[in-house]
Amino acid sequence: MRSFEQITQTRFSIDPDNVYGTGVCGKAFRTQKPCINHDILNSVQGRPWQQAGLKTGVVACVAFPLIKAGNSVGVLMFFVSKSWAADNEIIALLARMAENVSFALDNFERADEKAKADEQKERLTRMFAALSETNEAIMRARSRAELFDLVCEAAVQGAKFSSTTIALAEPTRTFFVSLRRTGQMQAR
């Protein structure tokens, strides 16, 4: 089995009471600080991963928290040699990578929020357009049937509803009577 397959099948936890949460991954997540295990094969902290380390040749691990909006959301882990885990410049570069990923996560969140706000603004704009067209229909209609036609059309075209129906109650019936239906929005 290749080393990345072995590592992806290895368990990691954020729970400090779980044996798999006592390693660098769980600690980095909980403390929001980088954590290094220089010797997975011979440390108490690395005991749950010793078999995976023996199979893959992984001897050291560095974990950096991924932080979004001030909260840990994950961990970026690097499985490295002992010499890399002891090199402060390498650790600083790895930390910068984790910071960049965290920054990107925050930006994606902001982009999603902006897209939702833009979508909401567009919906409101369409609703106001439909309201305006409905008011215009009330002023222009010369009959009840024409009013219903114009109002339904305004709702479908302005608000981009898939269909609109006007139904009225009649004193002798238990069900509404549908007077006007407008189907799928027509292309403009």
Side-chain angles (χ1 to χ4, degrees):
M1 183 179 295
R2 294 184 289 199
S3 62
F4 72 87
E5 291 170 340
Q6 182 70 38
I7 290 166
T8 59
Q9 293 176 4
T10 303
R11 301 178 94 187
F12 302 97
S13 174
I14 61 173
D15 182 358
D17 297 326
N18 182 309
V19 67
Y20 294 102
T22 61
V24 294
C25 187
K27 188 174 179 184
F29 184 88
R30 291 188 303 274
T31 64
Q32 294 188 348
K33 295 182 180 172
C35 293
I36 302 170
N37 184 332
H38 295 279
D39 192 359
I40 292 173
L41 300 178
N42 297 309
S43 68
V44 172
Q45 182 187 40
R47 191 168 290 138
W49 302 280
Q50 287 173 344
Q51 288 301 317
L54 287 170
K55 288 180 183 176
T56 62
V58 170
V59 294
C61 180
V62 184
F64 297 92
L66 296 177
I67 301 167
K68 183 172 86 171
N71 297 311
S72 292
V73 295
V75 178
L76 181 56
M77 297 172 44
F78 298 93
F79 299 94
V80 296
S81 68
K82 284 184 183 186
S83 64
W84 279 41
D87 187 324
N88 289 335
E89 288 180 9
I90 295 293
I91 299 302
L93 288 172
L94 298 177
R96 184 59 193 235
M97 288 172 68
E99 289 169 10
N100 289 349
V101 171
S102 294
F103 178 78
L105 290 173
D106 276 336
N107 282 342
F108 285 131
E109 183 75 21
R110 282 192 283 279
D112 288 345
E113 288 172 9
K114 183 184 179 323
K116 286 177 186 174
D118 288 347
E119 186 178 305
Q120 177 69 11
K121 182 180 174 184
E122 174 65 23
R123 258 196 315 269
L124 287 173
T125 300
R126 289 192 317 257
M127 292 302 295
F128 283 122
L131 177 62
S132 177
E133 288 180 39
T134 299
N135 290 338
E136 187 178 318
I138 292 168
M139 299 301 290
R140 287 187 315 155
R142 289 173 281 187
S143 69
R144 186 170 116 162
E146 184 180 15
L147 172 67
F148 294 160
D149 284 346
L150 291 172
V151 167
C152 286
E153 193 66 29
V156 168
Q157 293 297 326
K160 297 187 179 179
F161 292 128
S162 57
S163 68
T164 302
T165 300
I166 292 180
L168 296 178
E170 289 188 4
T172 60
R173 296 186 173 198
T174 36
F175 295 101
F176 286 102
V177 175
S178 179
L179 299 176
R180 176 64 171 107
R181 291 183 182 161
T182 302
Q184 290 293 330
M185 188 178 72
Q186 300 157 357
R188 288 186 173 184

